[in-house]
């Protein structure tokens, strides 16, 4: 679903997912979903699958979500 704005807060599944990705990123890592990956210029960005990442215990996030590490090419 689309994020909703209520006052100064932004709510929704996408916002929740983004917050979990930020929490899970290591030093100097930018984590992206497959949806975000599809919009990146692959000539400018190097991508690798995040192998040690799992959302199995995070409520509201699909356990089979593919997560990638994006870095300058």
């Amino acid at each position: 679903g689309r994020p909703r704005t209520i006052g100064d807060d932004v709510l929704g599944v996408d916002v929740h997912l983004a917050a979990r990705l930020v929490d899970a990123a290591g030093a100097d890592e930018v984590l992206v979903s497959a949806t975000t990956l599809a919009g990146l210029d692959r000539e400018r960005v190097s991508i690798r699958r995040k192998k040690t990442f799992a959302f199995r215990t995070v409520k509201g996030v699909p356990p089979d979500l593919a997560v990638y590490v994006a870095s300058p090419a």
Side-chain angles (χ1 to χ4, degrees):
R2 292 185 163 263
R4 297 182 319 167
T5 302
I6 300 175
D8 291 334
D9 296 325
V10 180
L11 308 171
V13 173
D14 292 340
V15 176
H16 177 72
L17 174 57
R20 300 294 71 80
L21 288 174
V22 168
D23 288 344
D28 298 324
E29 280 188 329
V30 175
L31 301 184
V32 298
S33 67
T35 302
T36 300
L37 175 64
L40 296 178
D41 181 350
R42 298 300 292 270
E43 291 182 12
R44 299 182 68 192
V45 179
S46 175
I47 300 296
R48 69 176 168 82
R49 180 101 187 232
K50 178 84 171 172
K51 295 178 184 173
T52 60
F53 191 76
F55 272 130
R56 289 176 187 82
T57 60
V58 180
K59 183 179 179 181
V61 178
D64 59 345
L65 179 72
V67 175
Y68 302 88
V69 178
S71 56

